[in-house]
Amino acid sequence: MSISPDQIAPERLARAKFRAWHRGTREADYMIGGFFDRYHMDWTASDMEWFEDLLAEDDVDVMAWALGTQPTPPRFEGELIEKMKRLDYVDMGH
């Protein structure tokens, strides 16, 4: 069974989900993990590469970009960071 160019292997998605939800702080978990859960179903292979690159960054920086307290580096600018900035995917579990 072959995977088309825009299909993302289940193992790769599982690894990204784990990394997104195990950041080290609850706030980063909710922000990055929640973003993954909300949007990954629509991602292309290039979107997945963007997210994997984002996962390599420090949580403090990623959160600052999403909150707009620091400028987003050019390599992360675009539709995905704009979706992350909306924060409409964060469920604080009330």
Side-chain angles (χ1 to χ4, degrees):
M1 180 168 132
S2 65
I3 295 175
S4 74
D6 275 342
Q7 278 188 312
I8 301 165
E11 302 82 14
R12 188 175 178 193
L13 285 169
R15 190 169 39 253
K17 180 174 182 146
F18 182 86
R19 290 178 63 204
W21 278 104
H22 295 86
R23 303 302 296 175
T25 66
R26 185 172 301 161
E27 296 82 3
D29 289 351
Y30 281 124
M31 182 177 285
I32 299 168
F35 177 78
F36 175 86
D37 286 354
R38 168 66 179 84
Y39 291 108
H40 80 275
M41 296 83 56
D42 300 323
W43 286 351
T44 64
S46 63
D47 294 337
M48 186 67 181
E49 288 173 20
W50 178 92
F51 188 70
E52 289 169 330
D53 287 345
L54 190 80
L55 290 173
E57 297 293 323
D58 288 337
D59 293 345
V60 173
D61 293 330
V62 174
M63 293 176 72
W65 304 332
L67 296 171
T69 58
Q70 287 183 18
T72 304
R75 73 182 186 279
F76 290 115
E77 288 179 352
E79 182 182 353
L80 291 175
I81 198 70
E82 292 306 315
K83 286 180 179 180
M84 184 174 264
K85 287 179 179 180
R86 289 185 204 139
L87 297 176
D88 59 355
Y89 51 85
V90 176
D91 178 8
M92 298 306 281
H94 287 100

